[in-house]
């Protein structure tokens, strides 16, 4: 299929050809209309309709958007019937019965409208970003390995053993995210800010050391702002 240069006002055949190249599927007039494209027909100046043309004494492209007119085209009519359109000043105008009739080959589609349609179709065809379970978990807390990496060197206790205890480290759930270990202990998560505060309160780990931990590990970067805000509330 030879690539065509889309003109400013494309014929039905040119528009269908170009859309097929861009989307990889065949197109017809009915499909373009159903997709919301507006066809135009050039109207040469007619002295019987001075208000319709105004200062456009050479004529202008009239849009075909009235539902009855577009449905007739989509159904496979042999010609174009325009009963309602917009005048040269883009004001909606109802034509005197029976309206204007034009040949099908006079239909034109604007290049900008065709390009917008293709952009829309490509956006809709893109797969939705699915948040993985790991991504959701990272927003809730950090896992055991990350806790040990960040904080084990700051305390004298066996932090791993404390994490595995039913008390979550500080009694009750402690810093452990509630419900995160329901299925298995390997899925347990800890809120690093709550954990760090507990390490300071219970095990006297200096705040300065804890702050360095938040600044020194990429997996804690998402929590650094909350940690700083917490310190400010505590007056540190």
């Amino acid at each position: 299929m030879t690539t065509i240069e889309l003109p400013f006002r494309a014929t039905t055949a040119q528009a269908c050809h170009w859309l097929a190249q861009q989307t990889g599927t065949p197109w017809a007039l009915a499909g373009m209309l159903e997709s919301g494209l507006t066809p135009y027909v050039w109207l040469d100046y007619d002295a019987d309709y001075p208000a319709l043309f105004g200062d456009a004494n050479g004529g202008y492209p009239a849009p075909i958007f009235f539902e009855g007119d577009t449905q007739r085209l989509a159904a496979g009519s042999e010609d174009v019937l325009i009963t309602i359109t917009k005048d040269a000043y883009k004001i909606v105008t109802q034509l005197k019965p029976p309206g204007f009739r034009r040949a099908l080959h006079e239909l034109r589609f604007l290049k900008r409208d065709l390009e917008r349609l293709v952009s829309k179709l490509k956006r809709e065809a893109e797969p939705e970003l699915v948040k993985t379970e790991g991504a959701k978990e990272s927003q809730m807390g950090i896992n055991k390995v990350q806790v040990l990496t960040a904080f084990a060197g700051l305390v004298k206790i066996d932090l791993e053993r404390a994490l595995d205890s039913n008390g979550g480290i500080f009694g009750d759930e402690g810093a452990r995210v509630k419900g995160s270990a329901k299925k298995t202990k390997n899925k347990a998560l800890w809120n690093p800010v709550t954990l760090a505060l507990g390490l300071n309160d219970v095990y006297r780990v200096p705040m300065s050391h804890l702050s360095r931990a938040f600044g020194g590990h990429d997996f804690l970067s998402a929590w650094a702002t909350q940690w700083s805000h917490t310190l400010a509330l505590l007056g540190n």
Side-chain angles (χ1 to χ4, degrees):
M1 183 181 290
T2 304
T3 303
I4 66 167
E5 179 67 26
L6 194 62
F8 179 71
R9 294 192 184 96
T11 65
T12 300
Q14 289 171 329
C16 288
H17 186 114
W18 186 80
L19 286 172
Q21 289 181 326
Q22 299 298 314
T23 64
T25 56
W27 283 79
L29 175 59
M32 291 194 292
L33 296 174
E34 290 170 2
S35 296
L37 287 173
T38 299
Y40 290 76
V41 167
W42 182 269
L43 297 181
D44 288 322
Y45 182 81
D46 189 334
D48 292 334
Y49 295 88
L52 185 66
F53 292 88
D55 294 331
N57 53 20
Y60 76 99
I64 304 169
F65 59 87
F66 177 57
E67 186 176 8
D69 296 342
T70 57
Q71 285 182 345
R72 183 174 179 274
L73 282 173
S77 62
E78 296 182 353
D79 64 359
V80 180
L81 175 61
I82 311 172
T83 59
I84 295 178
T85 187
K86 292 182 180 179
D87 64 18
Y89 303 108
K90 303 186 184 305
I91 298 174
V92 176
T93 302
Q94 183 167 2
L95 302 175
K96 297 176 184 178
F100 293 158
R101 287 187 181 274
R102 294 293 187 273
L104 282 176
H105 68 78
E106 296 183 63
L107 288 175
R108 296 291 184 272
F109 291 87
L110 298 184
K111 177 180 180 180
R112 69 186 182 195
D113 292 345
L114 292 165
E115 291 174 338
R116 286 172 184 166
L117 174 60
V118 167
S119 295
K120 175 177 176 288
L121 294 174
K122 288 182 177 180
R123 285 197 306 271
E124 293 174 350
E126 292 176 355
E128 291 186 14
L129 295 177
V130 179
K131 290 184 178 180
T132 63
E133 185 176 349
K136 291 180 180 178
E137 289 180 352
S138 68
Q139 296 172 5
M140 296 170 58
I142 59 176
N143 60 36
K144 177 180 174 180
V145 172
Q146 292 170 327
V147 170
L148 296 176
T149 299
F151 301 113
L154 304 180
V155 293
K156 296 180 180 179
I157 65 168
D158 186 340
L159 186 58
E160 182 174 9
R161 187 174 181 179
L163 293 176
D164 289 338
S165 70
N166 293 330
I169 192 169
F170 304 127
D172 193 18
E173 287 290 332
R176 189 165 61 200
V177 176
K178 188 174 182 180
S180 63
K182 278 185 177 180
K183 294 182 179 180
T184 170
K185 284 187 177 181
N186 292 334
K187 292 292 184 179
L189 298 172
W190 285 264
N191 182 302
V193 173
T194 304
L195 180 61
L197 291 174
L199 293 176
N200 169 259
D201 182 51
V202 178
Y203 299 106
R204 298 294 183 248
V205 178
M207 287 295 195
S208 59
H209 293 185
L210 294 166
S211 293
R212 280 198 293 273
F214 278 94
H217 300 282
D218 290 340
F219 56 82
L220 289 179
S221 60
W223 303 87
T225 299
Q226 184 181 343
W227 174 249
S228 297
H229 181 64
T230 302
L231 291 182
L233 291 175
L234 295 173
N236 290 292

